[in-house]
Amino acid sequence: MTPGRPDPARRRWRRIAVVTAVVLALAGANGPWLYRFGSEKYHAYRIDRPEYKARNGRWEIVEFPEGYRQNTIHAALLRTGKVLLVAGSGNDQENFDARRFDTRVWDPVKGTVKKVPTPSDLFCTGHTQLADGNLLIAGGTQRYEKLKGDVTKAGGLMVVHNENPDKPMTIEAGTRFTGRKNGKTFVAQDAVLVPRARKRFDPETGRFLGNDAGLSRVYVEAERRGARHETGAEDNYRVQGLRGADARNTYGIAQKLALDKKDFQGIRDAYEFDPVAERYVKVDPMKEARWYPTLTTLSDGKVLSVSGLDEVGQLVPGKNEVYDPATRSWEYTGKERQFPTYPALFLTQSGKVFYSGSNAGYGPADKGRDPGVWDVRTNEFTKVPGMSDPDRLETSGTVLLPPAQDEKYLVIGGGGVGESRASTRRTRLVDLRAKNPRFTDGPSLGRGTRYPQSSILPDDTVLVSGGSEDYRGRSGSDILEARLYDPDRNSFRRVADPLVGRNYHAGSLLLPDGRVMFFGSDPLFADPANSRPGVFEQRIEVYTPPYLYRGGRPVVEGGPGTLRRGGTAVFRSPDAARLETARLIRPSASTHVTDVDQRSIALGLERTAGGVEVTVPKNRNLVQPGWYMLFLTDRDGVPSTARWVRVP
């Protein structure tokens, strides 16, 4: 050893000590990051293992190319297997003002996305599947809401009267109304046609009694800004620009016109979307303007349109109407019954309509919210008792449990009216085949849940996912959990957690390959502290259920494209020996936690030489006319890829 120089072994140990100290210091400073990194890597490894996926399924995110992304509010599965994604203005005032309205058609098999011209603002429209495979779309947005602090011009409802029995009157947008007493002038924001007056005669003598004025409503705003242009009482208003008899016969009447909050306003526009041509086809407009309506198919194949906010932002007062696909026109039902907006209304096997109490928003807290069975023809409504947390049904979901023949419904979660922080963890069950139907509690969701998404699966389970504890995910309350509900056991089973939080303006639907797609989410805030405005979730997420990780799926070949009620049909399959069930599943049309189209109908199944024979139930109210996905499922719950069939 050279005198004055350290021992080499000692130098080596000194270097090791220094390196160890540095590593420990870095670990101390970055320990949480290292832990998270390791945990995330392990989690990704664990959820990708075959045994995990066979038990819990798997989630994947689908991001469209940047130019094809949109704020999807509505989604419907088309009979082509593609998905219609509708945004309209997408809850974006700038899009609305610029008249930028969006629709996409997504092919989940090829992965392609197509832009479709959108003729009106179909934001918050209603929709349902028609018998010919078209999708009926009705209603949407005429004007965005303004909160009280944002309202700068006094405004409100003007009722325009026409006392001339010989001709209707057209009031153009921009027409001015001046109060006879208050002298204040208000401007019509839209054009409106005022029908001619109706002559009244004594039914016994035939003597003329007078005219009943034709009435129309229009939203008006003050010419100038400020509180001094508000009115405090009813007044009669002259219509400027009219002369002579027209001026005498046409006038407006308005109550208080103020700087109050202005709700969204609806449109009458209606369209059928053609899934083959992939375009909107305009049909006759509804009788009433509607924003947040529900469309429900009736026993004769016509479509009932219910609720919504009208052209001046008021709840449509129970004036319900029916669309006839044969004439593409609308008629009033002749009976009035009021519901909150987006009510969950289902056609029952008796031909009556079941209202579960679920809804998605506007309407008084004490009117039209009781669940029950409604005879649309007679307007008789029979309440169904036993609902727990009845004041927390807004933003709840309702699903007709499979098979639909059992006529059992599950009401999932929900919250208080409006922006209430209240929510419920309860689910509620009702059997409409019981002698005296009554709600009972089902399994708990574990925490209060608004906006739960639910989709029926071919193996007779229901996927329930997402939602938030608070209004629109407020305070970081999104629920990243998913469960499978088993109707036979009346129980939930946790499965893989979704990757994306979904609350308001979110939904889900079953795809023909047995997977489930999720869309949307419109949080109020972007952070748990509620300090930054929320950002609309544009990513699509797809869940692959556990049954698709249990081995090869059964193959179905041949068979007819049309099935008859009460009839049979034969399908070839090399896997016939292991097939157990056959289901017709109606394609979804989903928005605002409301999907009244989806239903799964059990078919009779008999094995034949080289295939199976299925039998379709006879009840037209159960098997509504239209296109369905036919799934054949084996003894392990593994479904075939759906065959599209039509029931005329």
Side-chain angles (χ1 to χ4, degrees):
M1 181 173 68
T2 305
R5 298 191 64 180
D7 184 349
R10 188 178 298 172
R11 291 201 306 269
R12 185 168 59 254
W13 283 109
R14 185 182 299 167
R15 285 198 301 269
I16 292 172
V18 171
V19 171
T20 301
V22 171
V23 169
L24 289 174
L26 289 172
N30 297 284
W33 176 86
L34 289 170
Y35 175 78
R36 287 196 303 272
F37 178 78
S39 298
E40 289 170 2
K41 286 292 185 182
Y42 176 72
H43 179 69
Y45 163 77
R46 185 173 67 89
I47 67 175
D48 201 40
R49 292 177 63 81
E51 58 269 27
Y52 180 90
K53 292 187 287 188
R55 173 71 180 168
N56 300 290
R58 181 175 174 81
W59 296 83
E60 296 174 274
I61 292 175
V62 179
E63 284 202 68
F64 293 168
E66 187 171 350
Y68 289 83
R69 298 170 191 168
Q70 65 172 18
N71 296 352
T72 300
I73 310 291
H74 313 267
L77 180 63
L78 305 174
R79 68 176 179 88
T80 58
K82 299 179 183 180
V83 180
L84 183 70
L85 303 169
V86 182
S89 57
N91 202 16
D92 187 316
Q93 179 81 51
E94 290 185 5
N95 285 343
F96 178 80
D97 293 341
R99 313 304 288 173
R100 289 192 300 264
F101 307 141
D102 288 327
T103 297
R104 305 283 183 263
V105 173
W106 173 52
D107 187 329
V109 175
K110 296 180 179 178
T112 57
V113 188
K114 176 183 176 181
K115 295 182 179 182
V116 175
T118 309
S120 300
D121 189 4
L122 302 179
F123 167 56
C124 295
T125 187
H127 35 55
T128 193
Q129 305 280 352
L130 294 175
D132 63 359
N134 285 1
L135 186 79
L136 177 64
I137 299 176
T141 304
Q142 171 71 23
R143 187 167 288 107
Y144 266 61
E145 72 175 355
K146 287 185 179 179
L147 302 180
K148 187 171 183 179
D150 297 329
V151 179
T152 59
K153 292 183 177 181
L157 170 65
M158 180 74 68
V159 180
V160 188
H161 293 61
N162 177 17
E163 294 191 351
N164 187 343
D166 298 322
K167 69 173 185 179
M169 288 294 298
T170 298
I171 301 297
E172 301 290 350
T175 298
R176 285 167 167 74
F177 295 81
T178 301
R180 297 181 185 275
K181 297 178 183 177
N182 60 43
K184 298 177 180 179
T185 298
F186 294 84
V187 182
Q189 300 300 296
D190 305 293
V192 63
L193 180 67
V194 190
R196 67 189 70 197
R198 184 175 62 86
K199 296 180 178 180
R200 279 186 295 109
F201 297 91
D202 186 299
E204 295 183 359
T205 65
R207 183 170 62 89
F208 176 68
L209 300 176
N211 294 327
D212 289 332
L215 305 177
S216 282
R217 308 187 315 159
V218 65
Y219 180 74
V220 298
E221 284 186 348
E223 273 191 310
R224 294 182 174 84
R225 302 173 187 270
R228 65 191 183 90
H229 297 286
E230 290 184 294
T231 68
E234 178 181 300
D235 200 355
N236 187 297
Y237 290 78
R238 297 189 304 272
V239 182
Q240 294 187 13
L242 298 184
R243 300 288 184 270
D246 287 344
R248 293 192 299 273
N249 288 323
T250 310
Y251 55 92
I253 293 179
Q255 305 292 327
K256 178 183 176 182
L257 299 172
L259 294 169
D260 298 331
K261 174 182 179 288
K262 311 300 180 186
D263 281 326
F264 281 95
Q265 298 170 13
I267 59 176
R268 292 181 171 84
D269 295 9
Y271 302 88
E272 290 188 16
F273 187 84
D274 184 330
V276 177
E278 295 182 349
R279 67 185 182 93
Y280 291 97
V281 178
K282 191 171 181 59
V283 299
D284 282 1
M286 293 184 289
K287 302 289 185 182
E288 298 289 323
R290 300 181 190 270
W291 183 87
Y292 264 47
T294 292
L295 305 186
T296 299
T297 301
L298 298 175
S299 56
D300 56 4
K302 296 178 181 179
V303 176
L304 176 69
S305 180
V306 169
S307 193
L309 300 186
D310 62 17
E311 70 273 27
V312 294
Q314 297 183 351
L315 186 71
V316 176
K319 299 174 73 174
N320 306 310
E321 54 190 299
V322 171
Y323 178 75
D324 186 346
T327 62
R328 291 185 166 178
S329 61
W330 302 82
E331 294 294 338
Y332 285 118
T333 63
K335 306 284 196 308
E336 293 188 4
R337 179 161 296 280
Q338 183 172 305
F339 297 93
T341 54
Y342 278 134
L345 299 168
F346 299 84
L347 180 68
T348 69
Q349 294 176 69
S350 68
K352 298 177 182 179
V353 172
F354 171 60
Y355 171 49
S356 70
S358 292
N359 65 89
Y362 297 79
D366 58 351
K367 186 173 183 180
R369 293 181 180 260
D370 292 324
V373 177
W374 177 30
D375 187 324
V376 178
R377 184 180 59 83
T378 66
N379 207 30
E380 180 183 359
F381 189 87
T382 304
K383 294 181 181 179
V384 176
M387 176 68 74
S388 59
D389 288 347
D391 59 341
R392 300 183 187 188
L393 286 172
E394 196 163 286
T395 66
S396 66
T398 299
V399 60
L400 170 58
L401 293 173
Q405 285 94 326
D406 291 350
E407 209 143 68
K408 293 180 180 178
Y409 292 82
L410 182 70
V411 179
I412 308 164
V417 174
E419 298 186 19
S420 167
R421 293 187 179 277
S423 60
T424 181
R425 66 185 63 186
R426 296 180 188 273
T427 65
R428 304 79 147 187
L429 286 159
V430 65
D431 181 355
L432 292 189
R433 296 190 311 170
K435 183 177 181 181
N436 297 299
R438 183 180 183 85
F439 284 97
T440 59
D441 281 357
S444 172
L445 295 165
R447 65 178 81 179
T449 305
R450 285 174 169 265
Y451 322 104
Q453 296 99 54
S454 59
S455 287
I456 297 168
L457 303 184
D459 66 351
D460 286 351
T461 60
V462 178
L463 176 65
V464 177
S465 179
S468 63
E469 290 188 77
D470 201 350
Y471 174 77
R472 289 184 64 179
R474 190 166 45 196
S475 302
S477 61
D478 280 354
I479 300 170
L480 288 168
E481 296 177 359
R483 293 172 171 81
L484 289 175
Y485 175 77
D486 185 333
D488 290 337
R489 293 184 172 89
N490 186 28
S491 64
F492 281 120
R493 180 173 72 81
R494 278 286 298 274
V495 291
D497 295 335
L499 305 173
V500 178
R502 309 244 176 219
N503 49 70
Y504 182 53
H505 285 151
S508 64
L509 56 81
L510 175 69
L511 298 173
D513 62 7
R515 298 180 299 160
V516 182
M517 71 148 285
F518 289 75
F519 65 92
S521 191
D522 195 359
L524 198 60
F525 299 103
D527 64 322
N530 301 331
S531 62
R532 292 182 286 115
V535 177
F536 199 103
E537 178 56 68
Q538 296 186 330
R539 293 174 295 175
I540 301 295
E541 194 170 14
V542 175
Y543 177 69
T544 302
Y547 51 54
L548 292 181
Y549 294 105
R550 295 178 187 154
R553 59 197 309 166
V555 175
V556 178
E557 302 169 336
T562 300
L563 302 183
R564 303 283 176 179
R565 290 181 203 84
T568 62
V570 175
F571 293 87
R572 299 192 310 275
S573 173
D575 306 300
R578 62 185 173 105
L579 293 178
E580 290 286 342
T581 65
R583 297 290 184 264
L584 283 182
I585 298 186
R586 194 174 186 218
S588 286
S590 174
T591 189
H592 291 77
V593 207
T594 306
D595 183 355
V596 300
D597 274 3
Q598 68 168 336
R599 60 175 54 198
S600 177
I601 303 157
L603 307 185
L605 184 145
E606 296 287 339
R607 296 183 185 87
T608 65
V612 293
E613 181 181 76
V614 299
T615 303
V616 183
K618 295 180 181 180
N619 190 327
R620 183 182 179 88
N621 299 325
L622 172 67
V623 189
Q624 298 161 290
W627 288 81
Y628 290 83
M629 293 180 284
L630 171 64
F631 287 98
L632 298 177
T633 302
D634 71 13
R635 64 176 70 96
D636 295 322
V638 182
S640 65
T641 299
R643 297 286 304 275
W644 283 99
V645 295
R646 183 169 178 258
V647 179

